[in-house]
Amino acid sequence: MARPLADLTLDLASLRTTYASGVSPEAVLDEVFARIEECGDPGIFISLAEQDALRSAARALGGKSDGRPLWGVPFAVKDNIDVAGLETTCSCPGFAYRAAEDAVAVARLKAAGGIAVGKTNLDQFATGLVGLRTPYPVPRNAVDPALVPGGSSSGSAVAVARGLVAFALGTDTAGSGRVPAGLNNIVGLKPTLGAIPTKGVVPACKTIDCVSVFALSVDDAYAVFSAMAGFEQADPFSRAFRTAPLGPPPPRFRVGVPTPSTRSFGGDPAAEAAYEATLADVQALGGELVELDFEPFFAVAGLLYSGPFVAERYEALRRFIETSPDEIHPVTRLIIEGARRFDAGQAFGGLYELAAMKRALSIPLGLVDCLLVPTYPRPRTAAEVLEHPVGLNSEFGTYTNFVNLMDLCALAVPGRPRPDGLPAGVTLIAQAGADARIAVIGERLHEMGGTPLGALGLPAPAAPERAPRPAPDEIEIVVVG
Amino acid sequence: MARPLADLTLDLASLRTTYASGVSPEAVLDEVFARIEECGDPGIFISLAEQDALRSAARALGGKSDGRPLWGVPFAVKDNIDVAGLETTCSCPGFAYRAAEDAVAVARLKAAGGIAVGKTNLDQFATGLVGLRTPYPVPRNAVDPALVPGGSSSGSAVAVARGLVAFALGTDTAGSGRVPAGLNNIVGLKPTLGAIPTKGVVPACKTIDCVSVFALSVDDAYAVFSAMAGFEQADPFSRAFRTAPLGPPPPRFRVGVPTPSTRSFGGDPAAEAAYEATLADVQALGGELVELDFEPFFAVAGLLYSGPFVAERYEALRRFIETSPDEIHPVTRLIIEGARRFDAGQAFGGLYELAAMKRALSIPLGLVDCLLVPTYPRPRTAAEVLEHPVGLNSEFGTYTNFVNLMDLCALAVPGRPRPDGLPAGVTLIAQAGADARIAVIGERLHEMGGTPLGALGLPAPAAPERAPRPAPDEIEIVVVG
């Protein structure tokens, strides 16, 4: 017997319509659990919430939406983010603990009416961009099961791409919220550093970690981001950024793109062609392309794993790695123990280098409204990555690693498709606080690209028509005297 | 034969009047060099500029002021700040190099018409608050030669207090621009971090180093600060702070002071009485005293020497300390080599602790317009400090160490005098960017305290009457609609 909600797409607008028609959140939960079982991929979730408890929570929402932005919306949470009552494993069973409280981000989603259905797989300790560094089964890429799912937020990206939940939380320190979005044809929003509190998230690099959002559309991702954003006194890395409401895209804007000699596609002409097709879309949209030498951006990335910043990962796990080294995935351990070669002076030296690089890059960044890069040079199969676990992981991070260190925000969207149907995403990048600016451009590029939604065979969402509206604190002023 | 300018006080107003009367900058330079010789303290300057070259520079200014704010004003420079053509020693002869260029701060002072007459003694590598950690003769405290001069900017503070120059540059990482000001009855301005570029300054802790100003009055110190402040693209730690012009003091303001149980005067009742007398002045001025628990501020200070931040000092000198350890003062070396026990993870751990402390302290800081503390618990003799070189150095830093780590600005002024005539300074402290706010309060307290100027036997300067004036970027606005 066909399930009554089997055809429901779990985007926010469809859910709202469904609820308005009288369907209950419990019925949607039943459908979610049916899909999770039906999809037959044991690698996506590490744990699921107890269904009876969730049904009680759903009943407690009341029969009809009270207008909260995420009323009755089922979502998944990467398993390095605390959900009260569930284990947080970071994909390392020996590290696991049962969370007593929700992370601030999760608590805010619940307060907005959302329902957390389970915890998703990841590259252990959020260290990796491939999705293979886990002792659990690897989530299957939603577009092509031969490909890696991408990481570190592998399960969250696949869960959204396969329509199991409306959205999912990831984290992003070096690309973990973007690479898997790109590899699964969905949207990945890496907000401005500190805009979403990270209290209750197991740190990777505490100074640059972000909670990220995977969704089917930019509109949804931005709504979820807005529900989580806001200053939190108890989180020392939280900042008082205000999320601006989305308006129409700017009529003209300047987009920094790598010079041809600083573009890299790992020798994949289809990846290159797809990127160039998206650049044509940008120009059609009013974007002026400004070629920038990307070597200095790539040099920033070198600090992250070859430089002392890896010591942030060590510091986050110091006690565990020193007492239970054998519990850690061998590749992950190799990377994190690399921190041992740096002394405290070198850590500060890395900060000085970063400060100098940021200052130097403020000049090219000041010339443009945003950057547009491929999300990754090219997709890779699991077989390829297993053969070159560190080298190809680094390749995936080419266009993502520098973003967090530079205090930039980013948005990965499906771009123009490749002829072979493999995923071909692009990422918009801008200064801290410019999340809204890249969102309105990104949703147009998503629509123009025409890539089907996730792995659902549905068309890319139309970018909503947006009326210009002033931000809440905008007033008109007249200068006198 | 009496020198014609022997009675000239070298504050900026007196110099302007003198120049307006037709005296030449060369004549003032002659007087400066005569005073340096006459004062008979070989510990103040490590090197002097070549007199003929300075006279040529003075002649090049032209016979009459062109209106530049420091036209013909002689100043001294701490010997960890580059002056082109002179050696920079950091009080370590083995480290010395001849500077090819002026530090940005010095270049800006020269551009404003100032004349750099020489380089002053310091606690080696700006590590210390006592002024004794130098292989050169120790500068004599200007108020009482039995006392330590204070450091690390010892020579600069004494040079100003003895009237040898109009002002002097120091640096301030942990109190080096305030403690010696307090111990020599003069003003020490520690500006907002990044407001004055540090390019051309030998780093101590690069992330928190500031160039500071010693002067006879707040008005002079602020004028010199304003001449040096401003963004510098080539300095990654420079920030775009604007110096506001000084207005009248606020009619009412809230001043955070330590609760009685978190005040410490090293058992010196005269120090305590002097501080309390200044608190009465604050109240008379319209300040409401708000008692704050200072233990959390003192805990921040613990990060600086007991925690991993000392590794910044190590990193700044890594090559030198690893190749020429014996060239370093034994106490300085002991402190800086303490960094070796910290690994890179611990350096990041220190940054996390600092971030948490800053966040927690944002609450009490949000309750007040500024803090007012003693500049140091009590003055100490050189004999006492030589017996307890590290412990008493730390005592001097009680009220100064936390300031730079917390990204605060500060201003040390002479407060109410002690009955025994020993120096008794107070320090105002405020949020980054609030340099002007504490300046206008500080100059009133200086006047009310009535402490004689430096060691010159002249009365404390009257605080100028200041008309309210809008900042250059202030416009009147009318809200419409």
Side-chain angles (χ1 to χ4, degrees):
Chain A
M1 190 185 90
R3 301 189 309 266
L5 298 175
D7 292 334
L8 173 63
T9 310
L10 293 180
D11 61 281
L12 297 188
S14 301
L15 271 170
R16 269 192 292 271
T17 308
T18 301
Y19 285 136
S21 77
V23 170
S24 73
E26 284 176 86
V28 169
L29 274 181
D30 286 343
E31 173 61 22
V32 163
F33 279 103
R35 289 185 189 184
I36 290 171
E37 194 171 326
E38 186 186 60
C39 89
D41 184 342
I44 300 175
F45 285 94
I46 290 177
S47 65
L48 288 170
E50 208 268 307
Q51 296 196 29
D52 287 345
L54 280 193
R55 284 205 186 84
S56 302
R59 267 197 304 279
L61 287 170
K64 212 173 129 242
S65 170
D66 54 14
R68 281 182 286 164
L70 302 175
W71 190 89
V73 176
F75 66 96
V77 179
K78 185 177 181 180
D79 204 16
N80 59 346
I81 303 174
D82 287 347
V83 175
L86 298 184
E87 276 203 328
T88 301
T89 69
C90 295
S91 272
C92 180
F95 178 83
Y97 62 89
R98 191 163 299 276
E101 294 188 349
D102 288 322
V104 172
V106 171
R108 288 181 180 178
L109 293 177
K110 288 184 177 175
I115 304 171
V117 301
K119 306 291 295 289
T120 57
N121 205 346
L122 63 151
D123 281 313
Q124 194 176 78
F125 295 116
T127 299
L129 293 170
V130 291
L132 307 183
R133 297 171 181 173
T134 172
Y136 301 102
V138 171
R140 289 196 298 275
N141 184 295
V143 178
D144 179 339
L147 299 179
V148 296
S152 64
S153 317
S154 52
S156 282
V158 173
V160 170
R162 298 197 62 172
L164 307 182
V165 287
F167 69 89
L169 297 189
T171 58
D172 189 317
T173 303
S176 291
R178 289 161 277 158
V179 169
L183 285 166
N184 291 280
N185 272 353
I186 59 170
V187 169
L189 187 156
K190 198 292 293 178
T192 292
L193 187 60
I196 301 174
T198 51
K199 187 166 183 277
V201 179
V202 178
C205 296
K206 209 166 186 171
T207 60
I208 55 173
D209 291 337
C210 293
V211 171
S212 75
V213 183
F214 295 99
L216 292 175
S217 70
V218 173
D219 198 41
D220 283 6
Y222 199 82
V224 172
F225 162 53
S226 300
M228 286 188 287
F231 182 73
E232 166 59 50
Q233 172 71 23
D235 175 355
F237 295 97
S238 165
R239 297 197 283 182
F241 274 104
R242 190 187 289 271
T243 55
L246 300 183
R252 301 231 164 281
F253 50 97
R254 293 164 66 88
V255 180
V257 298
T259 52
S261 70
T262 57
R263 286 176 202 177
S264 121
F265 298 95
D268 181 346
E272 185 166 5
Y275 177 64
E276 282 172 4
T278 299
L279 292 189
D281 285 347
V282 171
Q283 290 172 294
L285 202 55
E288 180 194 341
L289 304 185
V290 180
E291 290 193 348
L292 302 176
D293 176 8
F294 261 59
E295 282 309 331
F297 292 96
F298 302 150
V300 172
L303 289 175
L304 199 60
Y305 289 103
S306 321
F309 281 83
V310 70
E312 291 208 76
R313 297 181 194 265
Y314 191 89
E315 186 65 10
L317 299 175
R318 183 184 293 273
R319 198 172 311 175
F320 186 69
I321 207 167
E322 290 178 359
T323 57
S324 313
D326 298 335
E327 304 268 358
I328 301 178
H329 189 285
V331 178
T332 311
R333 184 177 159 190
L334 180 78
I335 291 164
I336 297 180
E337 287 187 340
R340 289 201 176 145
R341 70 181 184 279
F342 297 107
D343 66 27
Q346 289 166 315
F348 284 105
L351 292 172
Y352 307 155
E353 266 193 85
L354 176 59
M357 288 170 163
K358 279 167 98 163
R359 177 54 58 81
L361 285 169
S362 67
I363 294 176
L365 284 171
L367 300 175
V368 297
D369 297 295
C370 62
L371 305 176
L372 183 76
V373 295
T375 299
Y376 43 78
R378 62 178 293 178
R380 292 286 186 181
T381 64
E384 288 175 298
V385 171
L386 288 172
E387 208 169 320
H388 305 284
V390 174
L392 290 187
N393 191 87
S394 297
E395 181 187 83
F396 274 120
T398 304
Y399 300 107
T400 61
N401 280 339
F402 61 86
V403 169
N404 303 49
L405 284 169
M406 295 273 304
D407 193 13
L408 303 171
C409 62
L411 179 69
V413 297
R416 281 278 164 182
R418 299 159 56 112
D420 57 12
L422 295 186
V426 292
T427 292
L428 290 151
I429 298 169
Q431 305 276 19
D435 307 80
R437 183 194 305 162
I438 54 178
V440 296
I441 298 170
E443 66 184 355
R444 300 281 151 179
L445 294 180
H446 190 187
E447 177 184 23
M448 292 167 93
T451 303
L453 263 188
L456 304 173
L458 298 167
E465 285 306 317
R466 300 190 181 281
R469 42 177 171 165
D473 59 342
E474 259 180 24
I475 50 169
E476 289 187 84
I477 63 166
V478 172
V479 178
V480 296
Chain B
M1 189 185 90
R3 302 191 306 268
L5 297 174
D7 292 333
L8 173 63
T9 310
L10 294 179
D11 61 281
L12 298 188
S14 300
L15 272 168
R16 268 193 293 270
T17 308
T18 301
Y19 284 137
S21 77
V23 170
S24 74
E26 284 176 87
V28 168
L29 275 181
D30 286 343
E31 173 61 22
V32 163
F33 279 103
R35 290 184 189 186
I36 291 171
E37 193 172 328
E38 185 186 60
C39 88
D41 185 342
I44 299 174
F45 285 93
I46 290 177
S47 64
L48 289 170
E50 210 266 307
Q51 296 196 29
D52 286 344
L54 279 194
R55 285 205 186 85
S56 303
R59 267 196 304 278
L61 287 169
K64 214 173 127 239
S65 170
D66 53 14
R68 282 184 284 165
L70 301 175
W71 190 89
V73 176
F75 66 97
V77 179
K78 186 177 179 179
D79 203 17
N80 60 346
I81 303 174
D82 286 347
V83 174
L86 298 184
E87 276 203 329
T88 301
T89 68
C90 296
S91 273
C92 181
F95 178 83
Y97 61 91
R98 192 164 298 276
E101 293 189 350
D102 288 322
V104 172
V106 171
R108 288 181 181 179
L109 293 176
K110 288 185 177 175
I115 304 171
V117 300
K119 307 290 296 288
T120 58
N121 204 345
L122 63 151
D123 279 314
Q124 195 178 77
F125 296 117
T127 298
L129 293 170
V130 291
L132 307 183
R133 297 172 180 172
T134 171
Y136 301 102
V138 171
R140 288 196 300 273
N141 183 295
V143 178
D144 179 340
L147 299 179
V148 296
S152 63
S153 316
S154 52
S156 281
V158 172
V160 170
R162 298 196 66 170
L164 307 182
V165 287
F167 69 88
L169 296 189
T171 58
D172 190 316
T173 303
S176 291
R178 288 161 277 157
V179 169
L183 285 166
N184 292 281
N185 273 352
I186 60 169
V187 169
L189 188 157
K190 197 296 287 179
T192 292
L193 188 59
I196 302 174
T198 52
K199 186 165 184 278
V201 179
V202 177
C205 296
K206 209 167 185 169
T207 61
I208 54 172
D209 291 337
C210 294
V211 172
S212 76
V213 184
F214 296 98
L216 292 176
S217 71
V218 173
D219 197 43
D220 282 6
Y222 199 83
V224 173
F225 163 52
S226 300
M228 288 187 286
F231 183 73
E232 166 60 51
Q233 172 71 23
D235 175 355
F237 295 98
S238 164
R239 298 197 283 182
F241 275 103
R242 188 188 291 270
T243 55
L246 299 184
R252 301 231 163 281
F253 50 97
R254 292 164 67 88
V255 180
V257 299
T259 53
S261 70
T262 56
R263 287 178 201 176
S264 121
F265 298 96
D268 181 346
E272 185 166 4
Y275 178 63
E276 282 172 5
T278 299
L279 292 188
D281 285 348
V282 171
Q283 290 174 295
L285 203 57
E288 181 193 342
L289 304 185
V290 180
E291 290 193 348
L292 302 176
D293 175 8
F294 261 59
E295 282 307 331
F297 291 96
F298 301 149
V300 172
L303 289 174
L304 199 60
Y305 288 103
S306 321
F309 280 84
V310 70
E312 291 208 76
R313 295 181 194 265
Y314 191 89
E315 187 64 12
L317 299 175
R318 182 184 294 274
R319 198 173 313 175
F320 186 69
I321 206 167
E322 290 178 358
T323 56
S324 313
D326 297 336
E327 305 268 358
I328 301 179
H329 189 285
V331 179
T332 311
R333 182 176 160 191
L334 180 78
I335 292 164
I336 298 180
E337 286 188 341
R340 289 201 176 146
R341 70 181 186 279
F342 297 108
D343 66 26
Q346 289 167 313
F348 285 105
L351 293 172
Y352 306 156
E353 266 193 85
L354 176 60
M357 288 171 164
K358 278 167 98 162
R359 177 54 57 83
L361 285 170
S362 68
I363 293 176
L365 284 171
L367 300 175
V368 297
D369 297 295
C370 62
L371 305 176
L372 182 77
V373 295
T375 299
Y376 44 78
R378 62 179 292 177
R380 292 286 186 180
T381 64
E384 288 174 298
V385 172
L386 287 173
E387 207 169 321
H388 305 286
V390 175
L392 290 187
N393 191 87
S394 297
E395 183 187 83
F396 274 120
T398 304
Y399 300 107
T400 60
N401 279 338
F402 62 86
V403 168
N404 302 50
L405 284 168
M406 297 271 304
D407 193 13
L408 303 170
C409 62
L411 178 70
V413 297
R416 281 276 164 184
R418 300 159 55 113
D420 59 10
L422 295 185
V426 291
T427 293
L428 290 152
I429 298 169
Q431 306 276 19
D435 307 79
R437 184 195 303 161
I438 54 178
V440 295
I441 298 171
E443 67 184 354
R444 299 282 151 179
L445 294 180
H446 190 188
E447 177 183 23
M448 293 167 91
T451 303
L453 263 190
L456 304 174
L458 298 167
E465 284 307 315
R466 298 190 182 283
R469 42 176 172 167
D473 58 342
E474 259 180 24
I475 51 168
E476 288 187 85
I477 63 164
V478 172
V479 177
V480 297

